[in-house]
Amino acid sequence: MNENAPCRGAASRGDSTDTRRNTPSQKAQDSAAEELDELDLRVVHALQVRPRAPWTLVGDVLAVNPVTAARRWRRLRDAGLAWVTAYPRLSDHRIVVTGIVEVDTEPGRAQEVAHALAAEHSAANVKLTAGGRDLLATVQATDLNELANLTTLLFQRTPGVRATRTHVSTGVPTEGSRWRLRELDDAQCARLEESRLADVPPDARASTAPAWDPLDAQLLALLSTDGRMSICDLAEATGGGLTTVRRRLQSLLASRVSLRCDLARPLSGWPLSAVYFASVPAQYLEETSRVLSGVREVRSCAITTGPHNLVIDVWLRTLADVHTFEVHLSRRLPRLRIDDRSVVLSTVKHMGRLLDRDGHCVGVVPLRHPQEATESLEAVVSPYAGVLEL
């Protein structure tokens, strides 16, 4: 656990479980981007492997002073260039059911609709796209009934929406938390991977029941804002005892919550993004998904219902790679048929993080347990309540 930080009141840091603005000055962003070096990338890679790693461990693995590693991370985080977040475990449908929603908007209203949807806790991702849809949104619910309610409430209440098509995810062979920079060697990654087991002791790993209570929901909302928030700050913010919060956090990480460390995409070396809608005969779906999970460009892959049974999110280096990568896939997976594709023009929201046009984090709409998000949405009077100007 990340327990090395001194205890201090979470409220004193300005954190909130509601929408939080975190808008660094343009000067700070430019300065941080210009100074991004090998050590910065190595720190990010270390936290991709173990998001809550103590700085003593990170410093030891990277052979630098722990204070230096921590200072580098704070600079990246405060400039909105990198962050650690938490979200309900996508691989367990008892916890969360995901809908990938194509949105067609009225002419000239795509950005307005994207910002309105991004303000909703149940919408994890919102992308402006070119191609056969104006937007792609990822919506999370606890079951199919709630997913139907959410998509109805979200899209009927949002002016400018002309039509939607929802693809229900039935499996997630790979997702963004597994994507890695290539800054550390195998031995360094192995040390971090082995130490990650310390975050989840055996008794916590044995508990896999997907039940939630109010403390779990509070912890998820706080960790989606800052996945490295210390036990002290979590206890202060929730009003729980240190031992209780530590034990509950271990249980969440064992079975219901995933952590991930993200870097602003333009700084990753993969500045472009595209989404492919693909199909493969059902008997080859598992094999194809396994191969896709090992392809470097594939950021995430969802098995879905509808006219396409795979939705593949990729990161690319150049615009020309949109077609070059498709050719590569067709050669490697001859049974895979790409039915459609969209270039991502702008990612407005990424796993709860509000992004500017440069991919920098400028705010957070904390992800909540889907049931809580549904109840919150039903209480909203105006579809523009809480909309942020980016």
Side-chain angles (χ1 to χ4, degrees):
M1 296 298 172
N2 181 34
E3 300 177 32
N4 297 326
C7 291
R8 61 190 186 280
S12 68
R13 301 183 300 113
D15 291 341
S16 168
T17 57
D18 295 323
T19 301
R20 189 181 68 142
R21 294 302 298 268
N22 176 31
T23 311
S25 67
Q26 188 62 49
K27 181 178 179 181
Q29 288 184 352
D30 290 344
S31 174
E34 290 171 359
E35 296 173 8
L36 204 64
D37 61 15
E38 182 179 352
L39 179 56
D40 293 323
L41 296 174
R42 290 167 66 203
V43 169
V44 171
H45 190 171
L47 296 188
Q48 287 178 332
V49 179
R50 186 180 173 190
R52 289 182 63 84
W55 290 120
T56 50
L57 174 63
V58 174
D60 190 31
V61 169
L62 302 185
V64 298
N65 190 305
V67 175
T68 299
R71 184 173 63 248
R72 291 297 188 100
W73 172 253
R74 284 194 300 270
R75 181 173 60 83
L76 293 173
R77 181 199 62 195
D78 293 346
L81 304 181
W83 53 89
V84 173
T85 193
Y87 52 97
R89 187 158 296 182
L90 302 177
S91 59
D92 191 338
H93 292 140
R94 299 173 301 169
I95 297 171
V96 61
V97 174
T98 301
I100 300 171
V101 186
E102 299 178 72
V103 184
D104 299 333
T105 68
E106 299 294 341
R109 304 193 70 176
Q111 282 201 347
E112 175 188 346
V113 172
H115 292 165
L117 295 178
E120 301 292 351
H121 294 277
S122 55
N125 302 309
V126 180
K127 302 174 182 179
L128 286 160
T129 61
R133 69 284 307 155
D134 297 305
L135 300 173
L136 274 174
T138 303
V139 178
Q140 296 179 341
T142 53
D143 57 35
L144 292 174
N145 285 332
E146 287 182 3
L147 181 62
N149 291 336
L150 276 172
T151 53
T152 298
L153 288 168
L154 278 174
F155 300 109
Q156 284 189 350
R157 286 179 161 187
T158 307
V161 172
R162 185 164 53 86
T164 65
R165 295 171 296 282
T166 301
H167 308 260
V168 177
S169 172
T170 61
V172 186
T174 189
E175 44 102 354
S177 67
R178 301 175 187 175
W179 194 88
R180 300 283 187 267
L181 293 169
R182 292 184 174 177
E183 301 296 325
L184 305 182
D185 61 33
D186 291 343
Q188 290 171 311
C189 290
R191 284 192 60 193
L192 290 162
E193 197 71 54
E194 291 169 3
S195 71
R196 189 169 58 161
L197 296 176
D199 282 347
V200 185
D203 57 340
R205 290 196 294 271
S207 176
T208 58
W212 293 75
D213 67 15
L215 178 57
D216 295 328
Q218 282 183 288
L219 290 173
L220 174 59
L222 290 165
L223 290 169
S224 71
T225 299
D226 179 5
R228 286 187 59 83
M229 187 178 290
S230 71
I231 296 293
C232 294
D233 284 349
L234 290 170
E236 177 75 16
T238 61
L242 286 172
T243 301
T244 298
V245 168
R246 181 182 295 106
R247 183 174 62 248
R248 192 63 61 86
L249 178 59
Q250 291 172 340
S251 175
L252 286 174
L253 295 178
S255 58
R256 286 165 284 167
V257 169
S258 296
L259 289 172
R260 66 194 285 170
C261 176
D262 284 312
L263 177 68
R265 192 176 68 241
L267 302 178
S268 69
W270 306 80
L272 298 176
S273 177
V275 180
Y276 295 93
F277 295 82
S279 300
V280 69
Q283 64 267 36
Y284 302 112
L285 191 55
E286 182 178 349
E287 174 189 347
T288 301
S289 300
R290 185 168 59 251
V291 173
L292 287 171
S293 298
V295 175
R296 172 67 169 158
E297 291 87 348
V298 173
R299 175 76 174 185
S300 66
C301 176
I303 300 173
T304 61
T305 60
H308 326 284
N309 56 16
L310 287 170
V311 177
I312 309 164
D313 196 317
V314 304
W315 284 9
L316 302 168
R317 297 193 186 277
T318 69
L319 194 56
D321 288 340
V322 173
H323 296 294
T324 303
F325 179 70
E326 188 171 332
V327 172
H328 169 71
L329 280 187
S330 66
R331 290 173 177 168
R332 187 167 181 179
L333 294 164
R335 297 186 182 91
L336 182 72
R337 184 182 75 251
I338 302 296
D339 302 315
D340 198 0
R341 76 285 298 150
S342 279
V343 173
V344 177
L345 302 175
S346 175
T347 300
V348 177
K349 186 180 186 183
H350 179 67
M351 296 309 293
R353 300 280 165 161
L354 300 171
L355 307 182
D356 65 14
R357 293 180 180 179
D358 295 318
H360 299 165
C361 175
V362 293
V364 186
V365 180
L367 296 176
R368 297 175 177 171
H369 177 242
Q371 175 65 51
E372 187 181 27
T374 304
E375 294 169 351
S376 174
L377 179 63
E378 291 173 344
V380 173
V381 175
S382 166
Y384 290 103
V387 172
L388 301 182
E389 295 181 0
L390 299 184

